[in-house]
Amino acid sequence: ESTSVYSGSVDGSLYLTKNQKEKLRMTMPMTLSFCYMALLWLREPITLSELLRFVVEGHIPYLNIFQHFPEKMKLCGLDLKIFCVESWPVYEEVFNKMHELAAFLDLPRFPDITDSCFLHPDMLCMKYLMEANLPDELHNWTCRVVKKIGIGEVDFLTLMPGNKSTRKVKYDVLAAAVIVVVLKLLFLLDDHYEWLLSEFAEERNKNNTEGGPYFEFKKWYEVVKHSLDMEQKKLDEERAKYLWRCEKPLFYSVKNKSKVLKRRQMVVNLQNQFGKLSGSVRRAEKPNPSSFQLSWSEENTDGSCFHGHSLKGILQEKCGLLRAMNPDYWLCTVKLCNEKLCGHLAHYREVEFPQSYHFVLGLFSFLLRIQPSYIHDEVCMIEHKLFNKKLCKKLKYNTVLRK
Amino acid sequence: SSHEHKLNFKKSKEACLSYIQDALLQKQWKRAAEFLTCYVESLEKDYSREHIGPSEKIWRIGTEILWHHSQSSMKEFNCFMEQMKTLGVKRYLKVCLEHVFHLLCNGQIDEAYQNLSLAESWRFGEQTALQDKEMKLIQAYRGLLDYYSWSKQKNILLEHAEDGFSDLAVEQEMHGYFRKAAVNLKEIIKIPGIWDVFVKCYVDLLEFYGDHNEACQVLNEYAYNSKFPANPNAHVYLYQFLKRQGESKKSLVSALKILHDIVPSHELMIDFNTMLQKSKKRKKRRLGLEVIFAALDYAGWKENAKAWSCLARQVKQIVISEKHLDWIKQEWNSRKDWWPAFHFSRYLAKRNWQENKSLSYEKALVAGILLGKDCKYFKYVSHQGCKAQLKRFRMMKKFVNRHNPVYLRISG
């Protein structure tokens, strides 16, 4: 094979020189921004966190993409820096670049996200409630919160590229945060009240003659924590076993081709030798992509599914309406930070929060594969919208509010 | 706790190594193999800045797994080792040497020898000089295997001699192995280090061929050259050699004196004390007492009846002669605060009596002299001994009672 075949791209080195006037340079993560942008435009029923999870699970070509290039396109030299992927795509990066891209392309207002769309918080809340094994009845509450603070409005949810005044919506994170706020509204989550309430519900369950059992926080916590821990452990092992290379090796130049091929051969030999000694057979086929990472079946007789449980155990009737027994609420933060300056609305790590709050954030953090601090930011944002009037009265820091 | 959701090549391999480490520590070879399979692609990445690169890690981890895994064969192991030799030229000789060790552990002496010979002939530019130490070791171990062959031939020869006929061919072969072995063993022991096995073999060769001067010189160098790391065994070997050669007591004593200084609890201290006790020189007898007391300071000697009998004999002898009681006083001075609890408690009296009557006898005698006839140990053992109507215990009791004033002089 002649050397000219291995010259790689014509402008690879130019592409990578640092003094680029345009900050928007096509990279592998940016291709995902493109994909997400298209999916959003088409209002496909898939969130960004799901998309990235599918990428990491190998259902979407991304890692070692050059395997799928036409024969004529041979990567060489600096192309490797562009096309070689050695890290998982990061939600924030893909998200931010998508918006930059939409503005750069001068796109008009995206198609409306209405309440019949998958990405609408009412829909996503339903999905996440199911996945978190929470009672269906909580959906009424999430819808109420969504309506009250106006985050179900079409103008709030629909993307208007280039509009810097509106906050960009992370549909998946937003929905998760709504659920967290609802849990705080009903259970307080201060490491005391939710357990007391649970005991109360347990008592009421003993005399419960109606069909479905009352929801008990303690039981839910035990079941979900157990599954979560198991899944997290599996995930941790998969991270350690993650394979980055493929059969087709890349060489920087013709000179190191033989060395690279030798190494590849050695790697394959060792993988075969130790693979045989591994005991269990590695799955030959990847399992199909699944929208749900945790699933709970009502058919299980062990009572591990809480979808049909009733909230009556923790609600009280007043004037014909069911209201939460919990009269209190604690704010995650009294004052929101300037997101543009420090990147966050609030600082999750620097404050001590109740363990139950950590747990709930951790659950959604696992499902969405993002840092809990991002969900925390959305929770703060929602709380501030929800308690807007009360906050204007300038209450003392860390005061518990009466609803 | 929040989990990191980002991941990159380096972090995933670090995590992988951590899982491998856990599996190895728990001897879960299959699991270790599973994770190692995922780790090996690190070879394709540039780690030149790291202190220990993936190729070295894979060599070490893979060796452990293949050595212990139930389904792994020696053939697979050897194949893996050959691959590892090609992976890092800077480690080539080290890998060869460790491979040889494994072959030897597996009883494959011939294969080990072949590998050593092959490694000896390796040349690779400046690497050859850089790996000089490993090369010397390889030559030394080949020398060791040559010694082993020599030894076999020697035994055959001796058998034949017993049967009444000589075998020239075997003899020639034997001499051949001797020459090969001697050359290499001599070289390695020149370098400061701990070379016990090489020294022993070399000395064995020299003694067989009657070169006692050379052997003596080698052993002296090994024991006294300050460049060599302190090694009690060196003195033991020298002592044993001098004893075999029938050297004078003086030289034997000087060899063991150093051993006493560096390892007062060494098992040869009994021999040393026995030798010193018999000496006509006062200084030597004094040293003997010091040696045996020092040995018994160590927990490992608590139940050594022979050691106690040495002490008992010497103490008894001093008491009878009524000379040098101050020796006992000096030795006892630093011990009187803790030896009673350490050696002469009532619990130990009971236990020693039950388990080893001779031990209790010797100890009781010593206790009686050092602590007087009212000491717990002596009282219990002598009482039990007399009850059992054992003559020597009766005699011992009488002896201690008669010499009780001595105790007062020692303790005062």
Side-chain angles (χ1 to χ4, degrees):
Chain A
E1 297 177 70
S2 58
T3 16
S4 63
V5 182
Y6 282 101
S7 61
S9 67
V10 176
D11 56 350
S13 55
L14 274 174
Y15 203 71
L16 287 170
T17 38
K18 285 178 185 173
N19 298 327
Q20 285 276 22
K21 278 178 190 172
E22 305 140 43
K23 284 177 194 169
L24 228 50
R25 210 168 56 203
M26 186 49 86
T27 59
M28 283 304 292
M30 185 93 108
T31 61
L32 294 174
S33 302
F34 250 117
C35 285
Y36 177 57
M37 192 171 71
L39 290 166
L40 183 60
W41 183 276
L42 292 172
R43 297 177 290 182
E44 288 291 328
I46 178 170
T47 60
L48 177 56
S49 57
E50 270 179 312
L51 175 69
L52 296 181
R53 181 164 62 83
F54 291 155
V55 166
V56 156
E57 288 173 357
H59 303 298
I60 295 174
Y62 182 74
L63 199 71
N64 299 315
I65 190 71
F66 53 86
Q67 286 178 102
H68 305 287
F69 284 176
E71 261 305 300
K72 286 185 285 185
M73 273 178 78
K74 294 213 194 291
L75 296 183
C76 199
L78 289 166
D79 298 336
L80 268 62
K81 277 200 175 167
I82 302 169
F83 288 101
C84 236
V85 168
E86 283 185 351
S87 57
W88 283 359
V90 175
Y91 186 107
E92 297 72 46
E93 191 190 332
V94 174
F95 181 80
N96 291 332
K97 284 292 180 203
M98 188 275 271
H99 287 89
E100 279 185 55
L101 198 56
F104 175 78
L105 293 172
D106 224 356
L107 292 176
R109 180 184 161 110
F110 273 50
D112 288 346
I113 305 285
T114 60
D115 55 15
S116 57
C117 286
F118 178 77
L119 294 174
H120 191 277
D122 287 343
M123 293 288 247
L124 280 178
C125 278
M126 186 143 61
K127 175 184 191 262
Y128 293 146
L129 283 170
M130 269 182 74
E131 203 166 1
N133 201 11
L134 288 165
D136 299 338
E137 279 180 29
L138 281 173
H139 192 242
N140 300 330
W141 293 83
T142 64
C143 291
R144 278 169 70 181
V145 169
V146 166
K147 186 153 186 202
K148 177 127 193 186
I149 60 176
I151 59 172
E153 299 301 307
V154 137
D155 289 333
F156 176 83
L157 291 170
T158 308
L159 175 61
M160 191 57 203
N163 183 345
K164 295 195 178 160
S165 56
T166 54
R167 189 159 181 273
K168 305 184 184 77
V169 181
K170 293 175 178 153
Y171 305 99
D172 35 23
V173 187
L174 184 64
V178 167
I179 298 176
V180 173
V181 168
V182 163
L183 289 174
K184 280 177 79 180
L185 282 168
L186 294 177
F187 299 96
L188 189 54
L189 296 187
D190 66 343
D191 284 346
H192 294 292
Y193 192 78
E194 65 271 25
W195 308 109
L196 285 173
L197 209 54
S198 185
E199 275 173 27
F200 185 70
E202 193 186 358
E203 274 304 308
R204 285 178 82 173
N205 254 331
K206 286 180 186 162
N207 304 325
N208 185 5
T209 47
E210 296 171 35
Y214 297 138
F215 177 76
E216 288 173 46
F217 187 88
K218 180 164 179 255
K219 285 209 175 109
W220 172 83
Y221 174 85
E222 282 166 0
V223 168
V224 171
K225 180 163 179 23
H226 175 74
S227 293
L228 185 61
D229 286 346
M230 255 177 31
E231 293 300 315
Q232 184 66 60
K233 199 175 165 194
K234 269 192 229 168
L235 182 61
D236 287 340
E237 279 200 24
E238 275 166 34
R239 283 163 58 96
K241 288 198 210 167
Y242 205 76
L243 290 177
W244 300 87
R245 298 291 161 105
C246 62
E247 302 89 48
K248 190 172 172 181
L250 286 174
F251 358 96
Y252 219 78
S253 65
V254 186
K255 276 185 218 167
N256 75 349
K257 182 183 175 187
S258 62
K259 188 179 175 191
V260 167
L261 285 175
K262 255 195 225 168
R263 277 288 157 111
R264 176 71 332 225
Q265 190 54 52
M266 168 92 62
V267 167
V268 168
N269 288 343
L270 290 171
Q271 282 174 338
N272 284 336
Q273 184 169 30
F274 289 99
K276 280 190 210 132
L277 296 173
S278 296
S280 59
V281 177
R282 243 173 121 75
R283 305 191 294 266
E285 283 166 36
K286 277 190 295 250
N288 285 332
S290 163
S291 197
F292 286 84
Q293 293 175 81
L294 298 172
S295 61
W296 318 91
S297 173
E298 292 203 357
E299 283 155 21
N300 284 352
T301 47
D302 57 1
S304 61
C305 179
F306 294 84
H307 296 156
H309 287 217
S310 166
L311 293 176
K312 281 205 195 128
I314 55 138
L315 298 173
Q316 56 194 2
E317 256 197 73
K318 265 187 185 172
C319 318
L321 287 171
L322 284 171
R323 304 194 77 204
M325 274 198 262
N326 170 36
D328 299 325
Y329 195 90
W330 55 271
L331 285 179
C332 284
T333 178
V334 174
K335 194 172 176 207
L336 291 177
C337 251
N338 187 335
E339 203 169 19
K340 286 186 182 128
L341 286 177
C342 77
H344 283 278
L345 282 177
H347 299 275
Y348 177 55
R349 290 225 206 272
E350 289 154 36
V351 185
E352 289 244 354
F353 289 112
Q355 291 301 314
S356 296
Y357 181 68
H358 284 309
F359 174 74
V360 164
L361 279 193
L363 172 58
F364 288 106
S365 167
F366 170 81
L367 291 175
L368 301 182
R369 307 287 177 94
I370 57 167
Q371 294 298 98
S373 51
Y374 289 100
I375 308 174
H376 179 72
D377 277 355
E378 295 295 303
V379 169
C380 292
M381 184 272 287
I382 293 169
E383 286 178 348
H384 276 249
K385 282 197 205 267
L386 200 55
F387 298 107
N388 195 18
K389 289 183 196 142
K390 299 210 165 101
L391 282 165
C392 287
K393 289 181 189 168
K394 288 183 188 172
L395 292 162
K396 271 200 326 226
Y397 184 73
N398 267 344
T399 321
V400 170
L401 295 178
R402 297 236 129 216
K403 289 200 296 259
Chain B
S1 65
S2 58
H3 290 267
E4 187 65 50
H5 289 284
K6 303 185 181 175
L7 191 70
N8 60 28
F9 192 105
K10 199 170 171 200
K11 284 216 174 97
S12 68
K13 295 312 170 200
E14 274 169 22
C16 193
L17 276 178
S18 162
Y19 277 93
I20 293 175
Q21 182 180 42
D22 281 346
L24 289 176
L25 288 170
Q26 292 176 56
K27 304 196 197 290
Q28 293 170 331
W29 311 113
K30 285 195 178 129
R31 193 168 154 84
E34 195 184 336
F35 282 91
L36 185 62
T37 311
C38 303
Y39 181 75
V40 294
E41 61 174 14
S42 299
L43 285 175
E44 294 180 292
K45 192 141 161 71
D46 174 32
Y47 274 82
S48 50
R49 295 216 187 125
E50 307 253 326
H51 179 58
I52 300 178
S55 53
E56 182 165 355
K57 289 178 187 166
I58 290 169
W59 164 47
R60 293 230 179 260
I61 296 168
T63 304
E64 279 312 293
I65 295 174
L66 288 171
W67 188 246
H68 291 109
H69 198 293
S70 52
Q71 279 157 32
S72 158
S73 64
M74 208 53 202
K75 188 174 164 204
E76 261 198 75
F77 186 85
N78 292 334
C79 177
F80 174 73
M81 282 308 205
E82 293 306 322
Q83 279 188 299
M84 292 299 104
K85 285 174 192 171
T86 66
L87 256 190
V89 71
K90 288 183 193 164
R91 272 194 313 275
Y92 180 78
L93 287 181
K94 207 190 272 190
V95 178
C96 283
L97 196 55
E98 298 221 4
H99 186 198
V100 163
F101 292 156
H102 280 101
L103 289 168
L104 289 173
C105 286
N106 202 44
Q108 291 174 282
I109 317 268
D110 291 334
E111 283 83 355
Y113 195 87
Q114 276 167 29
N115 273 283
L116 284 170
S117 303
L118 218 86
E120 246 191 289
S121 61
W122 181 76
R123 298 284 178 273
F124 202 96
E126 60 172 23
Q127 281 299 321
T128 326
L130 287 170
Q131 296 183 45
D132 179 59
K133 286 199 180 121
E134 286 85 349
M135 186 58 95
K136 284 250 156 49
L137 277 173
I138 285 174
Q139 288 165 334
Y141 276 98
R142 194 168 72 75
L144 191 66
L145 292 184
D146 284 325
Y147 165 83
Y148 179 66
S149 302
W150 170 86
S151 188
K152 278 202 289 195
Q153 297 302 99
K154 181 190 81 169
N155 289 336
I156 294 173
L157 202 69
L158 291 174
E159 266 178 44
H160 289 180
E162 271 177 33
D163 295 337
F165 62 96
S166 67
D167 192 329
L168 203 65
V170 168
E171 205 179 320
Q172 296 277 44
E173 241 191 293
M174 191 185 84
H175 293 322
Y177 282 126
F178 159 69
R179 277 189 289 272
K180 285 203 278 187
V183 142
N184 284 324
L185 292 174
K186 185 172 181 175
E187 275 310 300
I188 193 81
I189 61 182
K190 280 186 195 165
I191 307 169
I194 309 272
W195 307 124
D196 288 359
V197 69
F198 300 132
V199 165
K200 278 173 85 169
C201 296
Y202 187 46
V203 165
D204 190 28
L205 287 172
L206 292 170
E207 279 194 84
F208 182 83
Y209 286 94
D211 196 350
H212 304 293
N213 284 335
E214 177 71 7
C216 193
Q217 206 171 330
V218 161
L219 288 170
N220 270 287
E221 261 293 291
Y222 195 50
Y224 296 120
N225 187 339
S226 55
K227 286 193 191 133
F228 281 66
N231 181 2
N233 292 338
H235 302 276
V236 173
Y237 299 154
L238 180 59
Y239 165 74
Q240 288 169 338
F241 172 77
L242 294 171
K243 200 169 166 193
R244 281 197 298 273
Q245 297 299 311
E247 291 292 324
S248 67
K249 276 268 156 61
K250 189 174 175 189
S251 51
L252 290 177
V253 163
S254 71
L256 284 180
K257 172 81 171 57
I258 302 184
L259 191 59
H260 160 70
D261 288 337
I262 44 179
V263 189
S265 59
H266 199 277
E267 57 181 4
L268 281 175
M269 292 301 108
I270 291 185
D271 288 19
F272 194 30
N273 167 269
T274 310
M275 225 192 304
L276 291 168
Q277 268 194 51
K278 291 187 203 155
S279 171
K280 294 201 175 89
K281 300 222 172 104
R282 196 171 4 122
K283 260 194 188 167
K284 294 258 180 357
R285 292 198 308 273
R286 175 71 186 89
L287 178 63
L289 192 68
E290 184 188 318
V291 161
I292 194 69
F293 260 104
L296 286 167
D297 281 340
Y298 290 85
W301 287 80
K302 276 170 98 163
E303 308 200 338
N304 189 322
K306 189 84 175 51
W308 283 104
S309 86
C310 284
L311 179 59
R313 188 179 344 124
Q314 195 162 13
V315 157
K316 193 171 174 184
Q317 198 269 323
I318 289 172
V319 162
I320 289 173
S321 73
E322 288 185 19
K323 274 200 270 183
H324 308 302
L325 283 168
D326 56 309
W327 289 359
I328 302 182
K329 188 170 175 179
Q330 279 162 23
E331 289 302 324
W332 186 236
N333 217 17
S334 59
R335 290 174 171 95
K336 62 180 184 228
D337 292 328
W338 62 281
W339 265 43
F342 191 57
H343 287 303
F344 304 125
S345 67
R346 192 176 153 76
Y347 166 73
L348 280 173
K350 277 188 179 170
R351 213 179 84 183
N352 293 155
W353 171 255
Q354 264 178 349
E355 291 174 2
N356 189 343
K357 303 233 176 347
S358 295
L359 174 70
S360 65
Y361 168 78
E362 306 290 352
K363 278 181 75 176
L365 179 59
V366 174
I369 301 291
L370 295 174
L371 292 167
K373 65 180 165 65
D374 291 323
C375 100
K376 297 179 269 198
Y377 195 95
F378 170 76
K379 271 173 95 169
Y380 181 83
V381 170
S382 59
H383 175 74
Q384 292 295 324
C386 290
K387 212 167 74 174
Q389 296 188 339
L390 295 168
K391 186 176 176 192
R392 58 177 176 159
F393 283 86
R394 236 186 12 250
M395 307 272 286
M396 188 246 313
K397 186 172 181 180
K398 275 191 194 157
F399 179 86
V400 169
N401 282 328
R402 200 180 332 137
H403 293 278
N404 199 49
V406 163
Y407 147 69
L408 295 167
R409 286 168 66 185
I410 292 171
S411 64

